[in-house]
C-alpha cells in the first residue's frame, strides 16, 4: 500500500509539513518516493530522455552572487565572450550529432544581447534544431520579446531560493525582480524553466518546502534542483556542500507533484557523488545537458566550481543507458 503522504502528493493534496517529511525521507520511505517518481515519469514520458547541448557564451556577469565564481567581484577570473560565429559553429556541431535542443547559457551579461540577436535567426534558418533555450538572467520584457521573435522558444530563470531574505543576502538583489521576469517570460509565451539550489548556508528545510510550493505556483514547463557546491574565490567557499539525498528528494517530489514537466539530472550531482546523475534519473529526472562550450573557455565558466563535472556526450549516453532509458537524439 502506498504511503499516505506520497498518496497526498500524487493527488495534489499535500501540505507544507508533509513536504518537509518527504524531504527528510530516507530508507523505505525514500525508496517508495523514488519508485512513485519513476512511475510518474514513465506514465508521461515513457523511457524518453531529452538531451540538451549547452554552449556557455560568456562568463562576464553584472551580478555578485555569493555562491558563484562568475560574480563580478572575482577579479581572479579571466573573462571571455563568444562571437556569433563561434556560437553558430558550436550549434552546428550539436545539430550534426542529432541533438534537438540547443541551450545557450551565460553570466548576466547584457553585452551578449546583440550577439544572441544576431545568431538566433541564423540557427533557426540554417539548422534543424527544434528547441532553443536561453538562460541569460534578468532582462527587460522588451528584450525577452526580441529573443522570442528571433526564434528562442524557452527560457530558464531559476529562483534559487523562495526565501526573500536569503535571496537578497546571497544574490544582492530582490527576489521580486526575478519573479517579475518569470511572469514576463510566461506572458510572452516562452516555455519557462525555474528551480532552486538545495543546501545553501542558512537555508532551512521548511524553506526548501516553500521552494517546492513556489515551483507549483509558477506552473513552469521545466524545473530543476541542484545541490549547493562551495566555489573557490567566493564568500561561501568554506561552507559544506548541499545534502545529496535532499536534492534527490526535492527532484522526486517535483516529479510526482508537477507530473509532465522536464527535470534535469544536473552535473553537480555527479560532482558530489560518482554515478550521481544515474541516481537523478532513478529519482524521476528526464533531461541531461551535454557541455559543448569550446574547451579553451569551458574551464573559465565556474558556475559552481573550478573542478566542476563536465558532461560529455559519451557520459550522458552511458548514464541514460545505465538508468534503462533512451535518448531523444535523432
Ligand atoms: Fe552571475 Fe548567475 Fe553567477 Fe549570479 S549565479 S554571479 S547571476 S552567473
Amino acid at each position: 500500500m502506498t504511503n499516505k503522504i506520497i498518496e497526498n502528493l500524487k493527488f495534489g493534496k499535500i501540505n507544507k509539513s508533509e513536504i518537509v517529511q518527504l524531504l527528510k525521507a530516507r530508507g523505505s520511505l525514500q525508496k517508495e518516493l523514488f519508485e512513485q517518481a519513476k512511475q510518474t515519469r514513465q506514465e508521461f514520458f515513457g523511457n524518453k530522455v531529452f538531451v540538451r547541448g549547452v554552449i556557455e557564451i560568456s562568463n562576464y556577469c553584472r551580478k555578485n552572487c555569493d555562491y558563484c565564481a562568475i560574480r563580478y567581484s572575482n577579479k581572479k577570473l579571466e573573462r571571455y565572450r563568444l562571437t556569433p560565429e563561434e556560437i553558430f559553429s558550436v550549434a552546428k556541431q550539436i545539430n550534426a550529432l542529432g541533438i534537438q535542443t540547443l541551450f545557450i547559457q551565460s553570466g548576466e551579461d547584457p553585452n551578449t544581447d546583440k550577439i544572441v540577436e544576431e545568431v538566433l535567426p541564423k540557427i533557426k534558418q540554417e539548422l534543424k534544431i527544434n528547441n532553443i533555450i536561453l538562460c541569460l538572467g534578468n532582462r527587460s520584457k522588451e528584450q525577452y520579446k526580441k529573443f522570442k521573435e528571433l526564434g528562442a522558444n524557452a527560457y530558464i530563470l531559476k529562483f534559487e531560493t523562495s526565501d526573500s531574505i536569503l535571496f537578497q543576502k546571497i544574490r544582492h538583489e530582490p527576489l521580486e525582480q526575478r519573479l517579475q521576469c518569470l511572469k514576463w517570460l510566461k506572458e510572452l509565451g516562452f516555455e519557462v524553466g525555474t528551480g532552486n539550489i538545495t543546501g545553501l548556508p542558512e537555508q532551512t528545510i521548511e524553506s526548501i518546502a516553500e521552494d517546492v510550493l513556489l515551483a507549483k505556483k509558477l506552473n513552469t514547463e521545466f524545473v530543476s534542483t541542484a545541490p549547493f557546491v562551495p566555489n573557490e574565490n567566493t564568500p561561501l567557499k568554506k561552507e559544506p556542500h548541499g545534502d545529496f539525498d535532499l536534492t534527490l528528494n526535492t527532484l522526486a517530489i517535483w516529479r510526482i507533484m508537477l507530473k509532465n514537466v522536464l527535470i534535469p539530472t544536473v552535473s553537480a550531482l555527479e560532482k558530489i557523488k560518482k554515478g550521481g546523475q544515474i541516481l537523478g534519473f532513478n529519482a524521476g529526472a528526464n533531461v541531461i545537458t551535454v557541455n559543448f562550450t569550446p574547451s579553451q573557455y569551458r574551464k573559465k565558466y565556474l558556475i559552481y566550481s573550478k573542478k566542476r563535472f563536465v558532461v560529455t556526450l559519451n557520459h550522458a549516453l552511458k548514464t541514460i543507458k545505465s538508468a534503462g532509458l533512451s535518448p531523444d537524439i535523432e
Side-chain angles (χ1 to χ4, degrees):
M1 212 183 85
T2 315
N3 174 281
K4 180 81 176 52
I5 306 178
I6 296 179
E7 278 283 291
N8 288 349
L9 174 63
K10 196 172 152 190
F11 294 108
K13 289 189 254 160
I14 196 157
N15 60 39
K16 187 175 155 188
S17 78
E18 289 173 324
I19 295 173
V20 169
Q21 287 184 60
L22 290 181
L23 288 170
K24 290 180 179 165
R26 301 291 183 273
S28 59
L29 180 60
Q30 189 183 38
K31 204 167 161 232
E32 205 180 318
L33 179 70
F34 294 169
E35 272 315 307
Q36 185 58 56
K38 277 199 286 184
Q39 259 183 46
T40 309
R41 181 191 59 210
Q42 194 65 28
E43 202 180 308
F44 287 88
F45 298 98
N47 278 336
K48 191 163 159 187
V49 168
F50 299 88
V51 179
R52 293 173 179 162
V54 68
I55 320 173
E56 292 142 343
I57 63 166
S58 161
N59 71 351
Y60 284 88
C61 189
R62 63 181 171 183
K63 294 280 166 69
N64 211 27
C65 306
D66 287 352
Y67 51 84
C68 177
I70 292 177
R71 64 203 310 267
Y72 69 73
S73 60
N74 181 8
K75 303 292 178 230
K76 291 193 179 145
L77 182 63
E78 207 186 306
R79 307 282 170 169
Y80 73 87
R81 191 180 290 121
L82 267 65
T83 63
E85 293 71 30
E86 283 174 309
I87 299 170
F88 184 74
S89 140
V90 181
K92 215 166 143 187
Q93 190 194 336
I94 292 173
N95 187 219
L97 290 165
I99 294 174
Q100 299 172 49
T101 301
L102 175 67
F103 183 11
I104 298 178
Q105 191 170 26
S106 171
E108 197 169 294
D109 173 17
N111 287 322
T112 58
D113 290 353
K114 290 276 163 288
I115 296 170
V116 174
E117 285 170 26
E118 189 179 326
V119 79
L120 279 176
K122 196 166 155 65
I123 293 171
K124 277 306 274 182
Q125 281 154 26
E126 297 182 31
L127 304 178
K128 193 181 156 276
I129 283 191
N130 294 344
N131 299 300
I132 304 178
I133 306 177
L134 302 182
C135 179
L136 309 174
N138 291 10
R139 291 291 194 280
S140 65
K141 190 173 185 184
E142 292 63 42
Q143 185 58 57
Y144 287 145
K145 189 163 178 261
K146 225 181 254 178
F147 289 145
K148 180 90 182 18
E149 285 165 356
L150 292 170
N153 61 298
Y155 203 101
I156 294 180
L157 195 70
K158 289 176 69 179
F159 57 75
E160 315 294 9
T161 170
S162 57
D163 176 339
S164 55
I165 297 169
L166 182 60
F167 188 98
Q168 176 71 48
K169 193 170 171 193
I170 57 167
R171 288 188 55 96
H172 314 287
E173 61 174 344
L175 174 61
E176 293 74 52
Q177 261 174 27
R178 200 78 169 168
L179 297 178
Q180 178 62 67
C181 288
L182 280 163
K183 200 166 162 240
W184 287 334
L185 290 162
K186 276 258 173 204
E187 283 167 8
L188 291 165
F190 276 100
E191 284 184 58
V192 178
T194 193
N196 76 340
I197 301 175
T198 50
L200 285 164
E202 295 180 41
Q203 186 186 38
T204 61
I205 198 144
E206 286 74 21
S207 147
I208 297 172
E210 290 288 354
D211 296 352
V212 167
L213 292 166
L214 178 58
K216 183 173 164 56
K217 190 170 147 205
L218 292 171
N219 188 27
T220 54
E221 285 75 17
F222 328 139
V223 70
S224 118
T225 182
F228 163 71
V229 179
N231 209 330
E232 303 84 359
N233 301 316
T234 68
L236 302 180
K237 64 175 185 252
K238 292 205 172 113
E239 298 290 336
H241 65 66
D243 183 81
F244 188 84
D245 286 288
L246 186 56
T247 310
L248 288 190
N249 290 358
T250 307
L251 194 166
I253 293 169
W254 268 334
R255 166 59 65 212
I256 302 166
M257 177 184 259
L258 307 174
K259 310 205 188 305
N260 63 342
V261 290
L262 300 192
I263 309 183
T265 180
V266 297
S267 62
L269 288 172
E270 195 73 35
K271 155 90 187 159
I272 290 184
K273 192 184 261 190
K274 192 170 170 16
Q277 284 187 293
I278 299 176
L279 299 177
F281 281 132
N282 290 344
N286 63 342
V287 176
I288 192 161
T289 302
V290 179
N291 195 301
F292 286 92
T293 305
S295 55
Q296 70 271 32
Y297 302 125
R298 205 183 287 163
K299 55 182 181 297
K300 297 176 190 161
Y301 200 81
L302 307 179
I303 192 83
Y304 65 78
S305 169
K306 206 184 226 169
K307 295 182 207 112
R308 72 180 168 141
F309 184 84
V310 174
V311 178
T312 60
L313 184 56
N314 192 28
H315 167 80
L317 295 177
K318 264 202 211 152
T319 304
I320 294 168
K321 199 168 169 212
S322 303
L325 301 168
S326 325
D328 71 331
I329 295 179
E330 279 181 348

